[in-house]
Amino acid sequence: MQRSGGIVGNSGQPWVLRRVRLTWLSFMLFFILVFFPLIAHYYLTTIDEAGGPDKRIFGPRPGGELCEAKHVQDLCRIRESVSEELLQLEAKRQELNGEIARLNLRIEACKRSIDSAKQDLLQLKNVISQTEHSYKELMAQNQPKLSLPVRLLPDKDDPGYPPPKSAQNCRLHTCFDYARCPLTSGFPVYVYDTGSYPWGEKLDPLVKQGFASSVKSSVYVTDNPNIACLYIVLVGEIQESPSSPPASPLDLEKQLKVLPYWRLDGHNHLLVHLSRKSLTQNFLYNVSTGRAAVAQSTFFEHQYREGFDMVVSPLVHALSEPNFLEVPPQVPVKRKYLFTFQGEKVESLRSSLLEAPPQSFEEEMEGDPPADYDDRIIGTLKAVQDSHLDQVLVEFTCKNQPKPSLPTEWALCGEREDRLEVLKVSTFALVISPGDVQLVASAGCSMRLFEALEVGVIPVVLGDHSKLPYHHLIRWSEAVIMVPKPRITELHFLLRSISDNDLLAMRRQGRLLWETYFSTSESIFSTILASVRTSIQIPAAPIREEPAQEIPHKAGKLAGTDANMADNGDLDLGPVEVEPPYASPRFLRNFTYTAADVYRTWNRAPGPFHLFPHTPLDPVLPSEAKFLGSGTGFRPIGGGSGGSGKEFQAALGGNVPREQFTVVMLTYEREEVLMNSLERLNGLPYLNKVVVVWNSPKPPSDDLLWPDIGLPIVVVRTEKNSLNNRFLPWDAVETEAILSIDDDAHLRHDEIMFGFRVWREARDRIVGFPGRFHAWDVNHQSWLYNSNYSCELSMVLTGAAFFHKYYAYLYSYVMPQAIRDMVDEYINCEDIAMNFLVSHITRKPPIKVTSRWTFRCPGCPQALSHDDSHFHERHKCINFFVKVYGYMPLLYTQFRVDSVLFKTRLPHDKTKCFKFI
């Protein structure tokens, strides 16, 4: 028990001590944690009260005195600024919430207005539809429904009409079957193969080859004889051969009648005889051709059927093109000899060799009429030569053997080259018609006429009974002087009285006639077809347009509007037409000129396009293809069938109410420059589309993004790198107005708009911005190209110029090929060539607008014009073009067009007066 209690007692004392210690520690911790802070707080409070309110250290400070501490001043300012911004944002939020509420109300109102407008629009559409339907009903009631006539094709064995009483009585209305040639037929022509008839093997090889090449290039020739309107048979020129004499007239008649489509009487057939020599066999003399017409160079009076047969020109250049470098210039107007004549006719020399002067015409007419005036002509011309009043050259005997000729016809002397050398120094060339008045047309006279026109000599035809080639359609009085033989004594006076201006005009017209109708086999064949087609009143086929092979491209982002482009500067153009793209009006086929306009067409004074009246496709009717879209030779803008020259001519004389233009931009591997130029066109008024002529064989980059200017951009692939591609008549161009512009040209929108408005008032001119002029170099006796600032100009650069699409056809298809070849050779001068062409046609200078002299964009890569050889090449181009045209067609002008309100200060209280176009 004690051990047990002792153990408890001994062990309990430490436990009590430990319990006391824990209690003491707890009390101390409680005192420290509770009483010590209270004592410290009391002590500190006592210190602040003892020191006064200004010396408080730990107590609260009134009035934000805490911010007076330096280390918290910045934080206070930040707090105040943030508080202020929060207040402002809250106010802004409340304002925006109010604006959103108002806009929502407006949106709801607009939705209700749109719904109402849709209902009104639907009602208007219904009213318009009903009105159109009513209009159509009224038109159907008041006008008969017209449609194209049904084309009736006779059978192959159709016997045709009863034969005329005599072949001499054949006229179109009695011997031509109009049923095979409806107005809408397109004038299909079937040409017999020369190997299909017996005498085809005897034809002159050069004539045969030249004729075949012309047939291949004609747009009217068809291989289907069943639909043909006209059938052509080449009957000459026959190659002379002793082993194979020509067929007799009876045999020839039999050979003609066995032609597959002769149809007993040969109606709608044309027998063509092309001569290459001065003495041409009258192959069809005494041959009954039935209802077939004859086209040849030699006719006797009883053989020629006026209005049915045709006098054609000789075929001199069968296969070769004329060499323009060998053609003498048209200036100076007067040459060494006043007139020349070289020929021989043995039976006419008797009276000229007599010493006594011949009788006067009055004395001869008192007795028997003279059998041949040629004797009197010889005596008079010799007297003029002996008088030495003017230098003339007349020779009535050939130094060498004269060329064979028909009886009473003056034979040609010497070789062709020798005759041309004499004509090159002659002002006039005499063409004496045959003494036999029954010989109304001869190959010898036609050859003299051809050679005179070729070298720029004015022919003087002595004898009013002669019939010149295509005399029923060509106004020969504009290029040839026709003098009756009894007036031979007044001939010298007449030739001396003609002014230089008239001489130059006649010489220029003669050059035109020679180039268009006589120069090549193609022009002769086209003239023959056009003569027949015009006589039966069928409109010509439209000239072809250049098909645009478009290069696919990707459009990028919407192009912006350059503020500099929209700046009008000093130009105040008034209201601007802003409309979606639309093409120029289509001039569809009509037949007004076939009935009501025939007389005016044949007798109208020369118009502005007189010097290039038509293309080789349609080379006869004087006003037939004067205008693009006339259809009589040219395709209407935007398509069509042709035949509407009347409407187009009327539209060409004044402004079109609604019109746009097409930009044609030539480029070559300058993608960045091109993209910048296209972007500058964004927002340009009157613009229809942009045609980019990609002149590089390398296509555009695949990743190239083209700007979206809100209008079509057509990228055209070209066959070769040629500056002539700028003026091709692309079918993608659907407007009459073309703005030709370089890819580095930098023009403001107002300048372009003003140039377009000026062009609309002068549609036959080139209207552009940079002006240039030509000058005569006295030291080197040649023409120079000059780009210096001057008070006059004669050209505007087509790198920024408006012109009519009509000139694109002329440049590409009518202008001499030699000019386009030189442009390709130098890769230069295409703008000079276009200025030459337009000035040659209109006889007017171009029009310069605004004071701009250059148009290159700053910072663009240098173009070809910066090359040192650029100006030397342009000098050569001008002189070469002058040789091709035969004279300098460029005209000077000191005229420049500016806006009506250009640099005009108007009072503020006055209303601006705009010029409306």
Side-chain angles (χ1 to χ4, degrees):
M1 288 292 293
Q2 292 179 354
R3 180 177 294 184
S4 161
I7 296 171
V8 171
N10 294 333
S11 60
Q13 186 175 0
W15 178 81
V16 173
L17 293 174
R18 287 194 299 268
R19 187 171 183 181
V20 172
R21 291 175 182 172
L22 290 174
T23 304
W24 174 250
L25 290 174
S26 299
F27 176 80
M28 292 300 295
L29 289 174
F30 176 80
F31 178 82
I32 292 171
L33 294 176
V34 174
F35 290 99
F36 183 77
L38 292 176
I39 295 172
H41 179 266
Y42 174 80
Y43 176 75
L44 292 175
T45 303
T46 304
I47 293 176
D48 287 340
E49 291 177 354
D54 297 336
K55 296 183 180 181
R56 289 180 179 178
I57 300 175
F58 300 101
R61 296 173 179 265
E65 292 181 357
L66 183 63
C67 293
E68 293 181 1
K70 183 177 182 181
H71 60 281
V72 294
Q73 290 180 357
D74 294 338
L75 295 177
C76 292
R77 286 196 299 269
I78 292 174
R79 185 192 64 181
E80 296 174 356
S81 176
V82 170
S83 301
E84 185 178 355
E85 289 180 0
L86 289 175
L87 293 175
Q88 293 177 356
L89 289 175
E90 178 64 20
K92 186 68 175 178
R93 187 182 67 83
Q94 295 177 1
E95 181 181 355
L96 290 176
N97 287 335
E99 184 69 20
I100 290 173
R102 289 192 298 271
L103 290 177
N104 288 331
L105 294 177
R106 292 183 60 184
I107 290 174
E108 295 297 330
C110 290
K111 288 182 179 181
R112 290 191 297 271
S113 300
I114 291 174
D115 294 337
S116 176
K118 286 181 178 180
Q119 295 295 330
D120 296 340
L121 179 61
L122 183 60
Q123 294 178 1
L124 289 175
K125 287 182 178 180
N126 294 332
V127 172
I128 292 173
S129 178
Q130 294 175 1
T131 305
E132 290 179 350
H133 183 71
S134 302
Y135 174 77
K136 291 179 180 179
E137 290 181 349
L138 291 174
M139 294 297 293
Q141 294 175 3
N142 299 327
Q143 294 183 357
K145 184 178 180 180
L146 299 178
S147 60
L148 295 178
V150 178
R151 186 173 185 184
L152 301 177
L153 298 176
D155 297 334
K156 179 179 179 181
D157 299 329
D158 180 23
Y161 301 117
K165 296 180 179 180
S166 66
Q168 189 65 23
N169 295 331
C170 254
R171 297 295 183 268
L172 284 175
H173 65 279
T174 59
C175 294
F176 192 86
D177 185 6
Y178 281 86
R180 299 194 63 89
C181 306
L183 293 174
T184 57
S185 63
F187 191 59
V189 177
Y190 178 78
V191 180
Y192 283 91
D193 185 8
T194 55
S196 63
Y197 42 86
W199 71 90
E201 299 178 354
K202 301 179 182 180
L203 294 174
D204 188 318
L206 291 179
V207 174
K208 188 187 301 186
Q209 294 178 22
F211 185 79
S213 63
S214 302
V215 169
K216 291 181 181 179
S217 61
S218 176
V219 297
Y220 298 104
V221 175
T222 178
D223 296 331
N224 186 0
N226 297 323
I227 65 171
C229 165
L230 182 68
Y231 299 84
I232 293 182
V233 184
L234 181 64
V235 298
E237 181 171 64
I238 298 296
Q239 195 172 19
E240 298 179 357
S241 176
S243 60
S244 58
S248 63
L250 184 59
D251 294 338
L252 186 56
E253 289 182 19
K254 294 180 180 179
Q255 294 173 7
L256 288 175
K257 290 180 180 179
V258 298
L259 291 175
Y261 309 101
W262 188 258
R263 297 185 179 90
L264 299 180
D265 56 4
H267 59 273
N268 290 45
H269 275 65
L270 179 64
L271 308 179
V272 179
H273 187 288
L274 301 177
S275 59
R276 294 185 60 247
K277 300 185 293 293
S278 59
L279 176 61
T280 300
Q281 318 97 325
N282 196 347
F283 191 52
L284 300 175
Y285 186 71
N286 290 331
V287 175
S288 177
T289 58
R291 283 194 170 93
V294 179
Q296 61 183 18
S297 300
T298 302
F299 279 104
F300 284 94
E301 186 174 10
H302 68 276
Q303 180 188 9
Y304 180 71
R305 295 167 291 185
E306 184 70 39
F308 191 71
D309 293 329
M310 188 188 314
V311 180
V312 300
S313 60
L315 180 60
V316 178
H317 301 287
L319 296 177
S320 61
E321 294 286 338
N323 189 354
F324 293 100
L325 297 180
E326 296 181 357
V327 178
Q330 298 185 24
V331 290
V333 177
K334 294 180 179 178
R335 299 175 180 175
K336 177 180 179 181
Y337 296 111
L338 178 64
F339 61 83
T340 58
F341 179 80
Q342 291 177 308
E344 182 174 337
K345 189 171 68 171
V346 178
E347 59 268 28
S348 298
L349 296 178
R350 62 185 188 277
S351 62
S352 63
L353 300 177
L354 298 177
E355 296 182 0
Q359 294 178 334
S360 64
F361 282 111
E362 292 78 4
E363 294 173 346
E364 291 182 354
M365 292 305 293
E366 289 178 358
D368 296 332
D372 192 351
Y373 282 121
D374 291 354
D375 298 334
R376 181 67 180 181
I377 291 174
I378 294 174
T380 303
L381 295 181
K382 280 190 173 181
V384 174
Q385 186 178 27
D386 296 338
S387 66
H388 301 291
L389 295 176
D390 286 294
Q391 198 168 1
V392 299
L393 175 62
V394 289
E395 295 179 355
F396 301 105
T397 56
C398 297
K399 298 178 182 178
N400 300 320
Q401 184 68 24
K403 300 294 181 181
S405 61
L406 296 174
T408 72
E409 184 184 21
W410 288 90
L412 295 172
C413 295
E415 300 297 329
R416 166 178 158 81
E417 292 74 14
D418 300 331
R419 297 194 300 270
L420 292 180
E421 290 300 323
V422 175
L423 291 174
K424 288 179 181 179
V425 293
S426 306
T427 305
F428 299 95
L430 302 185
V431 180
I432 304 177
S433 58
D436 185 4
V437 294
Q438 299 296 323
L439 186 60
V440 295
S442 66
C445 289
S446 298
M447 189 68 69
R448 290 181 182 274
L449 180 68
F450 179 92
E451 293 177 353
L453 296 177
E454 182 179 7
V455 295
V457 181
I458 300 175
V460 180
V461 179
L462 293 176
D464 52 0
H465 68 280
S466 296
K467 297 187 181 299
L468 301 182
Y470 320 111
H471 62 91
H472 59 297
L473 291 177
I474 295 180
R475 294 178 291 199
W476 280 109
S477 59
E478 297 179 356
V480 175
I481 300 176
M482 305 286 291
V483 180
K485 286 186 177 181
R487 292 197 179 275
I488 183 60
T489 56
E490 301 175 287
L491 178 64
H492 186 207
F493 166 77
L494 175 63
L495 300 183
R496 287 283 302 270
S497 64
I498 301 177
S499 65
D500 290 352
N501 291 335
D502 292 338
L503 290 177
L504 184 58
M506 296 183 71
R507 183 174 294 169
R508 189 185 303 118
Q509 182 67 10
R511 173 70 176 273
L512 167 71
L513 297 179
W514 176 75
E515 289 182 357
T516 310
Y517 305 137
F518 313 134
S519 58
T520 62
S521 59
E522 182 180 352
S523 61
I524 293 176
F525 182 72
S526 299
T527 303
I528 293 174
L529 295 186
S531 178
V532 177
R533 181 187 50 73
T534 304
S535 299
I536 61 177
Q537 301 178 337
I538 295 183
I543 197 171
R544 68 182 180 91
E545 288 189 302
E546 200 69 22
Q549 300 179 3
E550 187 172 356
I551 301 176
H553 58 280
K554 297 182 296 183
K557 63 179 182 179
L558 183 65
T561 302
D562 190 349
N564 295 326
M565 296 295 100
D567 182 18
N568 287 350
D570 295 319
L571 295 176
D572 201 344
L573 303 181
V576 176
E577 300 173 11
V578 181
E579 298 187 64
Y582 56 87
S584 294
R586 297 189 177 206
F587 295 92
L588 301 178
R589 172 176 294 173
N590 73 84
F591 306 97
T592 305
Y593 86 93
T594 63
D597 205 37
V598 173
Y599 179 80
R600 288 191 299 165
T601 298
W602 260 260
N603 298 276
R604 183 162 32 201
F609 295 93
H610 176 63
L611 294 180
F612 259 121
H614 31 67
T615 67
L617 292 175
D618 300 284
V620 173
L621 190 59
S623 65
E624 184 174 336
K626 283 183 180 179
F627 307 102
L628 168 68
S630 65
T632 48
F634 289 95
R635 180 177 299 277
I637 287 295
S641 303
S644 58
K646 185 176 178 62
E647 288 92 340
F648 188 86
Q649 182 177 351
L652 197 67
N655 292 328
V656 179
R658 298 172 65 247
E659 191 170 20
Q660 294 179 343
F661 63 89
T662 302
V663 168
V664 176
M665 185 178 296
L666 188 72
T667 186
Y668 186 88
E669 296 184 0
R670 296 199 297 182
E671 295 180 351
E672 183 179 357
V673 175
L674 174 64
M675 297 302 107
N676 293 334
S677 296
L678 292 176
E679 288 183 0
R680 288 194 293 269
L681 298 177
N682 184 40
L684 177 61
Y686 305 106
L687 181 59
N688 180 270
K689 70 172 62 170
V690 180
V691 176
V692 177
V693 181
W694 192 265
N695 222 24
S696 172
K698 179 182 177 182
S701 303
D702 296 335
D703 57 349
L704 181 63
L705 294 180
W706 297 70
D708 183 5
I709 61 174
L711 295 169
I713 297 179
V714 181
V715 185
V716 179
R717 188 193 312 273
T718 59
E719 295 181 357
K720 63 176 183 178
N721 178 19
S722 172
L723 294 180
N724 293 315
N725 296 332
R726 179 196 298 272
F727 302 125
L728 283 173
W730 302 105
D731 57 3
V733 178
E734 299 178 325
T735 60
E736 298 177 19
I738 295 178
L739 173 58
S740 174
I741 191 169
D742 289 341
D743 57 0
D744 58 353
H746 196 273
L747 295 174
R748 300 195 313 268
H749 288 185
D750 65 295
E751 294 174 319
I752 297 176
M753 288 188 295
F754 180 67
F756 178 55
R757 290 181 173 181
V758 172
W759 178 86
R760 293 176 70 181
E761 298 185 10
R763 307 169 72 87
D764 60 336
R765 315 272 284 275
I766 299 179
V767 177
F769 298 89
R772 302 292 185 266
F773 67 97
H774 67 287
W776 178 252
D777 186 355
V778 179
N779 297 328
H780 298 86
Q781 293 295 298
S782 62
W783 294 101
L784 297 177
Y785 171 85
N786 202 314
S787 63
N788 295 331
Y789 290 90
S790 174
C791 60
E792 60 183 3
L793 60 95
S794 59
M795 296 174 282
V796 292
L797 300 185
T798 55
F802 286 93
F803 64 89
H804 203 289
K805 190 180 179 182
Y806 169 74
Y807 295 119
Y809 292 92
L810 293 184
Y811 185 97
S812 302
Y813 303 141
V814 179
M815 190 179 68
Q817 180 64 36
I819 296 180
R820 293 190 293 272
D821 291 341
M822 191 167 195
V823 171
D824 288 337
E825 178 183 355
Y826 285 154
I827 316 180
N828 199 344
C829 308
E830 84 286 357
D831 49 355
I832 301 178
M834 177 58 81
N835 278 272
F836 265 69
L837 175 66
V838 177
S839 295
H840 174 63
I841 295 171
T842 62
R843 303 306 304 136
K844 298 176 183 178
I847 296 179
K848 173 178 170 51
V849 292
T850 74
S851 59
R852 181 184 290 271
W853 204 260
T854 59
F855 56 83
R856 301 294 180 188
C857 63
C860 290
Q862 288 190 349
L864 295 174
S865 58
H866 292 84
D867 192 356
D868 294 338
S869 61
H870 176 74
F871 282 91
H872 298 288
E873 293 172 350
R874 294 173 85 81
H875 298 331
K876 295 178 182 178
C877 288
I878 286 185
N879 288 279
F880 179 79
F881 296 165
V882 169
K883 290 182 179 179
V884 173
Y885 283 96
Y887 75 111
M888 169 54 75
L890 297 179
L891 300 172
Y892 292 105
T893 179
Q894 296 183 355
F895 176 74
R896 192 187 82 189
V897 179
D898 286 307
S899 174
V900 173
L901 298 180
F902 177 68
K903 292 187 177 180
T904 301
R905 297 183 178 180
L906 296 176
H908 297 290
D909 57 343
K910 301 294 182 180
T911 303
K912 289 189 176 181
C913 175
F914 296 108
K915 175 186 177 184
F916 292 89
I917 297 181

